Amino acid sequence: LLRTGQAAASAGHLPHAIRALTAAGQHETPDGAKALVIAARIFDERLREMDRARTLYESVMQRFPGTQAAAY
């Protein structure tokens, strides 16, 4: 799901990217954390939906403390 989301984001299919990335983010793995950060960046940088981005960033910090993704 992480790679699917990344490919969709690169192709400009943002709704599909967000769905895939947030689904990948349900897994308690490094890829899950990375997927949520990428989804948050899409909301922040491409869609300018700061509240949704902040919610995802906070989720990463709470669910994956001490990881590189949480430090982002």
Side-chain angles (χ1 to χ4, degrees), residues 1-2 20-36 63-64:
L1 289 171
L2 172 62
L21 293 166
T22 54
Q26 299 306 309
H27 302 284
E28 300 292 328
T29 64
D31 279 351
K34 182 176 181 179
L36 290 179
R63 291 180 50 210
F64 304 96

Side-chain angles (χ1 to χ4, degrees), residues 2-14:
L2 172 62
R3 289 191 178 106
T4 299
Q6 289 173 312
S10 293
H13 302 293
L14 301 183

